[in-house]
Amino acid sequence: MREGYIEVLERVTSAIEPSKDDLIYLLETKDTKEYTILSQAACDIRDIYCGKRMAIRGLVEFSSFCKNTCKYCGLNRYNKTASRYRLNPDEIIKLADHVYTAGFHTIVLQSGEDGYPAQEIAKIITSIKVKFNIAITLSVGERSFEDYQLWKEAGADRYLLRIETKDRLLYKSLHQGRNVETRLQALKDLQSLGYQTGSGIMIGSPGQTIEHIANDILFLTKEAFDMIGIGPFIPHEKTPFARYPKGPVQLTLNTLALLRICTKNTWIPATTALGSLERDYRLDALMAGANVVMPNFSPESIKKKYEIYPNKSCVKEKEESVHMLCKNLASKAGLEIDYARCDSLKVT
Ligand code: SAH
C-alpha cells in the first residue's frame, strides 16, 4: 500500500470538490490492500446515504435500429450485418406487464436512435402508466426538447443518457460527426424538464486516459445526476474499434467506488457490461458501492440482436431465473432487494 493512501482517500471523501490529482492517485489503485479500503469506504457511504438495499429495474430493448455511427457500438448504422428489429407498441406494453408481474416497479425502455415516432412512444408511456403502477425510464438517445417534453407530460419519470466522456476531442473521436455540446445540452434539457436523469461513462474506450476519467468523475459529481452507469468498453467485431482491448475491470471498479464516494446518494447499477466479461463482475460492482441491478426482460428471440457488444450476460439469463439472479447478488453483497420504484435519492 502506498504511503499516504488513507490520507488521500479521507481528503477525497470529505471534499465538496476533490482535486483531480487526488482522484488520479486513487484511480491508479492496483494494490489489493488499497482496493479493499477503497471499496469498503464506498460501501459504507452507500449504506449511510442510500440504505443497505439494492434496487431492481426491468430492462426492455425495444429497437435495434440506429442512425448513429458510434465507433464502439455494434448497432452503429455502418454495421450491415447487425440484425435489426423494432417491437410494436402492443409488444412493448406486454413486456411492461411481464416486468410488473415479476414484481418490478421500474421499467427501462432502451433502443438505438431509430427515430421511433415521438407520438407513438408517448402513447406507449400513457398506456403503461394507466395499466401498471410502475416508473418509466427512457434510454433512447438524443431527441428534440419537444420530444422530451411530450414524453414527460405523457408520464415518463426518468431518462438515461450517458455522456460517455466530457472531453470534447475524445468525444469526437468516439462519435463521428457528433459533438459533446449537444449531449450536454440534452442532459440540461432533461434535468430542466424534471426528469430523474442518469448519465455515465465507459471505461477504457480507445484514447481515454486516467485524466479523462478523473475529469468525468468531477463532472458527474457536479451535475448531481440521480443515476450513474459505469461499464468497461467491450470491443465488437463489426465496429472500427474491433481490435482495441477491453476496458480494464479494476479501473472500472475503482471508478465506480470513487463515484460512490464523491456523489454519495446516487443510484449506481452493477451494469450488464460488467457481467459480460470473462466472468460476471456484477457482485464485485455491488461490493464496490453499486446498488442497482437491471435484469433484461427482452424476449429471448431478440436479446442477442440488441448487440451493442458481444456475449451480453443477459442472453444466458432466462426470465424465470431473474429472481434467483437478484436474490443471489443481493444476499452475497449483504443487501436487501428493494422492490419499490426507488426514485431519486437527491433532495428535490
Ligand atoms: N441509444 C441510446 C442507448 C445506447 S446503449 C443512447 O444513445 O443513449 C447504452 C450504453 O451502452 C451506451 O450509452 C454506451 O455507454 C454503452 N455501450 C455501447 N457500446 C458499448 C461497447 N461496445 N462496450 C461497452 N459499452 C457500450
Side-chain angles (χ1 to χ4, degrees):
M1 188 161 89
R2 288 171 288 178
E3 207 185 316
Y5 182 83
I6 294 184
E7 229 177 298
V8 176
L9 180 58
E10 278 173 358
R11 200 154 61 221
V12 166
T13 306
S14 56
I16 292 175
E17 198 179 324
S19 89
K20 194 163 79 183
D21 288 344
D22 281 353
L23 287 175
I24 290 173
Y25 176 90
L26 296 175
L27 279 168
E28 280 169 345
T29 292
K30 283 201 180 88
D31 175 89
T32 37
K33 250 199 181 139
E34 286 185 5
Y35 182 64
T36 306
I37 294 172
L38 178 72
S39 52
Q40 191 53 54
C43 287
D44 290 348
I45 289 181
R46 175 198 56 209
D47 296 350
I48 293 167
Y49 286 86
C50 315
K52 257 176 129 36
R53 59 191 169 132
M54 182 183 101
I56 49 174
R57 326 286 197 196
L59 179 64
V60 169
E61 298 154 336
F62 68 93
S63 167
S64 66
F65 283 93
C66 194
K67 66 174 168 51
N68 277 345
T69 54
C70 308
K71 289 191 200 162
Y72 45 83
C73 183
L75 298 183
N76 79 78
R77 80 173 137 95
Y78 294 144
N79 180 5
K80 299 294 177 211
T81 60
S83 302
R84 308 289 176 177
Y85 68 88
R86 181 180 293 133
L87 302 185
N88 66 38
D90 286 342
E91 290 168 316
I92 298 172
I93 294 161
K94 207 176 265 167
L95 288 168
D97 193 353
H98 283 193
V99 172
Y100 183 70
T101 309
F104 284 53
H105 287 90
T106 297
I107 182 169
V108 181
L109 297 174
Q110 191 176 86
S111 71
E113 299 213 8
D114 88 330
Y116 210 103
Q119 288 292 350
E120 239 170 80
I121 292 188
K123 276 195 213 145
I124 294 166
I125 294 167
T126 310
S127 307
I128 293 176
K129 286 302 235 189
V130 167
K131 290 194 162 92
F132 316 110
N133 171 23
I134 197 167
I136 298 182
T137 305
L138 299 173
S139 175
V140 303
E142 291 167 33
R143 298 283 295 234
S144 68
F145 183 86
E146 289 69 29
D147 289 357
Y148 299 147
Q149 192 166 31
L150 177 74
W151 299 335
K152 186 79 185 55
E153 280 161 13
D157 304 274
R158 312 182 187 139
Y159 207 105
L160 302 177
L161 190 73
R162 287 193 184 173
I163 188 77
E164 316 296 1
T165 172
K166 207 201 152 250
D167 185 87
R168 278 187 64 235
L169 290 179
L170 180 61
Y171 190 93
K172 264 202 176 315
S173 75
L174 301 177
H175 308 96
Q176 185 188 323
R178 287 170 48 220
N179 61 63
V180 75
E181 285 79 12
T182 317
R183 199 89 175 161
L184 286 167
Q185 186 58 48
L187 285 165
K188 280 212 168 69
D189 291 345
L190 292 163
Q191 285 182 319
S192 75
L193 284 165
Y195 278 97
Q196 296 172 38
T197 305
S199 195
I201 57 171
M202 249 177 320
I203 302 299
S205 52
Q208 187 191 50
T209 63
I210 290 261
E211 186 161 5
H212 288 132
I213 301 176
N215 279 330
D216 286 338
I217 292 177
L218 289 171
F219 164 74
L220 293 167
T221 303
K222 188 151 159 268
E223 296 305 314
F225 292 113
D226 304 291
M227 296 91 77
I228 297 179
I230 301 295
F233 158 70
I234 301 176
H236 185 292
E237 194 54 37
K238 299 287 188 226
T239 63
F241 288 162
R243 300 284 159 258
Y244 283 89
K246 280 180 193 161
V249 180
Q250 190 58 58
L251 184 57
T252 309
L253 294 172
N254 292 352
T255 307
L256 195 157
L258 278 168
L259 276 163
R260 167 62 66 208
I261 288 168
C262 294
T263 69
K264 315 253 184 306
N265 55 351
T266 313
W267 291 113
I268 300 182
T271 50
T272 307
L274 267 169
S276 307
L277 302 166
E278 65 287 351
R279 73 166 175 83
D280 187 342
Y281 286 95
R282 280 176 296 185
L283 177 59
D284 305 67
L286 292 168
M287 295 178 72
N291 59 352
V292 179
V293 170
M294 296 167 71
N296 193 309
F297 280 79
S298 302
E300 295 306 321
S301 56
I302 64 163
K303 266 186 191 169
K304 173 103 188 65
K305 295 185 182 164
Y306 191 82
E307 198 182 51
I308 50 183
Y309 47 78
N311 303 317
K312 279 164 63 196
S313 61
C314 60
V315 174
K316 295 174 262 123
E317 291 155 10
K318 303 279 170 277
E319 199 181 311
E320 318 83 74
S321 66
V322 156
H323 280 290
M324 278 316 291
L325 170 81
C326 295
K327 280 188 181 142
N328 272 331
L329 284 170
S331 80
K332 286 186 183 152
L335 301 170
E336 287 282 324
I337 298 179
D338 190 336
Y339 288 91
R341 286 166 53 112
C342 293
D343 282 299
S344 169
L345 298 161
K346 309 276 172 192
V347 187
T348 48

